[in-house]
Amino acid sequence: MTNLTKTPRAATTEPVVPAKDTGRRVNPLGGVAHAALFLWALATVAPLIWVALASFKSNEEIFLDEPFGLPQSWAIDNFADAWSEAHIGQYFLNSVFVVVVSTAGTMLLGSMAAYVLARYKFPGNRFIYYLFVSGLAFPTFMALAPLFGIAQAMNLLDSFFGLIVIYIAYSLSFTVFFLVAFFKTLPHEIEEAATVDGAGHVRRFFQVMLPMAKSGLVSIAIFNIVGQWNQYLLPVVIMQSEDKYVLTQGIANISVSAGYQAEWGQLFAALTLSILPMIIVYAVFQRQIQAGLTSGAVK
Amino acid sequence: MRHGKYPFIIGFLAVPVALYAIFVVGAYLQMFRLSLTDWSGYGTFKDVGFDNFVKLWNDEVIWIALRHNGYLLLLLPIVTIAIALLFAFLLNVGGGSKGGMTQGVWGSKVYRVVFFFPQLLALALVAVIFQRVYGPDKSGMINGLLPDSWEPWLFLADEKWALTCILIVLIWQAVGFYVVLFSAGMGSIGQEIYEAAALDGASRITLFFKITLPLLWGNIQVAWIYLGIAAFDAFALVNIMTVNQGGPNNSTQVLSMQIYLNAFKYSQAGYASAIGVVLFFLALSFAWLTLRVNRSDSVDA
């Protein structure tokens, strides 16, 4: 007992010792810490810098020179070839179109369903909620064969409309799950005031609830944009003709054919072209993106 | 006020529920039906009873794929969470205290931005990049960096190491996300706790194990589930990076690849559905187990 009371007092009466002690301990640890962090940062950016440099090189240079050496002559035509010959421009536009429409659709339909499920009592409410949420437990690839069959039967194969509808359907689980929790936390008073003022159900949703839920909507929208932009499995199954490929699919396809034709410079240019917009968007919205994606994970 | 409530509810739910019912629930229900047929993926089919499941049990490749998924399922979360926890700790608490506030090491803001970036790249793009980084001759980044006198490493073409190469890519991409996630968790741990502990002369290592780790347990569980899902999938990496989609000699074969190959390459969509059914129950037990663990934890707390 006496020991227990003595030890903390000893530490507080002689604050110099522990302070000095930690000071001594921090420095070598700090060195190792910096080294570890720096090495990981290097490992993160090195492949990207290497890709960017190689996109300006000829095949011979990629094979023979130092991987991080500057190109002898900057082969800009790699980019022109990637854009038009390898159709990166087309793939990029396809991706933008599909993601814009399907994220908008996911947000609209997801928030409508979530709002009703969070704020209204009716028979079947719990059942529908759990139906949506149960989708979270199963990875998409599991039901790939029947999904293909359904898309085939509904004439949705190889169609942008089909891909968009399927993106929306598979994004609803998480969107509804996240937004139901979010709508439940919003205060009831403002909604009641709007009702007293004579606003109907629909108007209350669009003019009162949605504006109040803005922060949650932004988070989940970022989550869906990133997720759908990066989707690979679904387009591989649904999109069959090359002019309808989305970016991920298109680049993967170039990489496979590059194995035989050895157009490495073009492949690297294609990669650079698809990484660059992400870097720019990330540099501008870095804070929101990090917050959006991680809050999506925590909820 | 009850006037118009049900038309409104139905109006708002009809489209989302219909889409979800057709493409998600419908797909899972049909999976059960099709697992009992010899459906090729097109046209008609006939019932074959449990033939697909018998075949599944005797399919060596499925067992190999299952083992590889198990390997990823075990190592991906452990390694990623360990690295991410260490970095998050260094970035948030590792810099000692200044002006009464514990803070991260110098440059922590930059590190957090850089580490996170791979998370924004599609796994398919990451796969294409690393397929070249691992290139088995001088055109690959790593072999290009090695001295000329060395034998080039085969990486993905080497049966022994191919799956580990895939694991490394998954870790490379994931760490940044969990650094940010854990940082957010550490940010919500009160400064006073660290202050008090530091005053008592606790070392950084004690701080980490006695304060950070227990208080972050919820975040770690979330991370475990997310990484488990990622480890289960890995389709883009295996499909794009590996020799012959799962090779060499099935050394990188995973279940997602098996479903894809059977459904779309071998015209055995019925069999692919049977694999899906088995996975369905595996995932269900995984989800149930997670819920159980979480529940007993919240009782303890």
Side-chain angles (χ1 to χ4, degrees), chain A residues 108-177:
Chain A
L108 179 69
L109 297 176
S111 60
M112 278 161 55
Y115 172 66
V116 170
L117 292 172
R119 293 272 177 160
Y120 287 84
K121 275 194 186 132
F122 57 92
N125 181 317
R126 291 282 85 188
F127 174 75
I128 295 174
Y129 174 74
Y130 283 120
L131 200 63
F132 276 120
V133 171
S134 61
L136 289 173
F138 307 107
T140 310
F141 69 83
M142 217 176 263
L144 216 51
L147 178 65
F148 175 82
I150 292 168
Q152 187 183 229
M154 294 178 75
N155 241 335
L156 293 175
L157 288 183
D158 212 19
S159 104
F160 285 122
F161 177 72
L163 190 63
I164 287 167
V165 163
I166 289 170
Y167 273 8
I168 293 175
Y170 278 85
S171 306
L172 280 175
S173 275
F174 194 78
T175 307
V176 168
F177 171 65

Side-chain angles (χ1 to χ4, degrees), chain A residues 30-53:
Chain A
V32 177
H34 278 296
L37 289 165
F38 182 76
L39 282 178
W40 191 270
L42 203 65
T44 305
V45 294
L48 305 176
I49 293 174
W50 175 69
V51 165
L53 280 173

Side-chain angles (χ1 to χ4, degrees), chain A residues 36-37, chain B residues 80-92 179 182 186 208:
Chain A
L37 289 165
Chain B
T80 307
I81 290 174
I83 297 176
L85 271 177
L86 172 71
F87 284 162
F89 186 73
L90 293 176
L91 292 178
N92 289 284
V179 168
F182 293 151
M186 287 180 193
F208 180 79

Side-chain angles (χ1 to χ4, degrees), chain A residues 22-291:
Chain A
T22 46
R24 215 187 294 136
R25 209 178 293 145
V26 162
N27 275 336
L29 186 70
V32 177
H34 278 296
L37 289 165
F38 182 76
L39 282 178
W40 191 270
L42 203 65
T44 305
V45 294
L48 305 176
I49 293 174
W50 175 69
V51 165
L53 280 173
S55 66
F56 291 103
K57 292 178 180 174
S58 64
N59 269 353
E60 296 77 51
E61 274 184 273
I62 291 168
F63 269 92
L64 299 174
D65 286 8
E66 285 298 305
F68 287 95
L70 291 179
Q72 282 151 10
S73 62
W74 297 72
I76 308 288
D77 35 327
N78 281 343
F79 286 89
D81 290 348
W83 186 264
S84 46
E85 265 180 55
H87 310 296
I88 288 301
Q90 180 69 49
Y91 301 152
F92 189 85
L93 292 177
N94 291 347
S95 270
V96 169
F97 173 70
V98 171
V99 170
V100 165
V101 178
S102 65
T103 301
T106 307
M107 293 311 295
L108 179 69
L109 297 176
S111 60
M112 278 161 55
Y115 172 66
V116 170
L117 292 172
R119 293 272 177 160
Y120 287 84
K121 275 194 186 132
F122 57 92
N125 181 317
R126 291 282 85 188
F127 174 75
I128 295 174
Y129 174 74
Y130 283 120
L131 200 63
F132 276 120
V133 171
S134 61
L136 289 173
F138 307 107
T140 310
F141 69 83
M142 217 176 263
L144 216 51
L147 178 65
F148 175 82
I150 292 168
Q152 187 183 229
M154 294 178 75
N155 241 335
L156 293 175
L157 288 183
D158 212 19
S159 104
F160 285 122
F161 177 72
L163 190 63
I164 287 167
V165 163
I166 289 170
Y167 273 8
I168 293 175
Y170 278 85
S171 306
L172 280 175
S173 275
F174 194 78
T175 307
V176 168
F177 171 65
F178 182 92
L179 286 177
V180 163
F182 197 83
F183 279 129
K184 276 191 175 154
T185 63
L186 294 179
H188 283 269
E189 290 82 4
I190 302 173
E191 206 183 354
E192 277 156 18
T195 315
V196 172
D197 285 350
H201 295 286
V202 177
R203 214 170 132 202
R204 255 175 11 224
F205 172 69
F206 283 105
Q207 294 192 337
V208 180
M209 293 308 284
L210 280 191
M212 282 205 299
K214 203 176 144 199
S215 65
L217 292 174
V218 169
S219 288
I220 197 72
I222 290 173
F223 183 89
N224 280 321
I225 291 170
V226 173
Q228 292 176 359
W229 180 264
N230 290 344
Q231 183 56 252
Y232 173 69
L233 183 66
L234 291 174
V236 161
V237 172
I238 303 296
M239 297 314 229
Q240 292 157 338
S241 46
E242 281 191 26
D243 60 323
K244 287 180 181 161
Y245 279 1
V246 297
L247 197 60
T248 47
Q249 204 182 355
I251 290 196
N253 192 46
I254 298 170
S255 111
V256 173
S257 53
Y260 306 109
Q261 299 161 8
E263 294 278 2
W264 296 120
Q266 197 173 309
L267 173 69
F268 285 116
L271 281 170
T272 308
L273 283 173
S274 52
I275 297 171
L276 213 55
M278 300 307 283
I279 293 187
I280 294 168
V281 172
Y282 183 51
V284 178
F285 297 106
Q286 167 258 115
R287 211 171 270 276
Q288 289 91 324
I289 291 175
Q290 286 196 356

Side-chain angles (χ1 to χ4, degrees), chain B residues 208-277:
Chain B
F208 180 79
F209 282 103
K210 290 284 159 73
I211 298 179
T212 308
L213 208 54
L215 287 175
L216 226 57
W217 203 239
N219 293 62
I220 293 173
Q221 278 183 334
V222 171
W224 197 277
I225 296 168
Y226 272 72
L227 287 162
I229 294 170
F232 235 107
D233 194 336
F235 170 77
L237 293 186
V238 173
N239 190 34
I240 295 169
M241 290 171 75
T242 63
V243 188
N244 294 329
Q245 298 173 310
N249 197 16
N250 284 325
S251 59
T252 53
Q253 197 58 258
V254 290
L255 291 163
S256 53
M257 196 70 232
Q258 274 301 298
I259 289 188
Y260 178 83
L261 286 176
N262 278 300
F264 302 109
K265 289 277 147 77
Y266 310 153
S267 295
Q268 299 191 347
Y271 184 55
S273 303
I275 305 174
V277 168

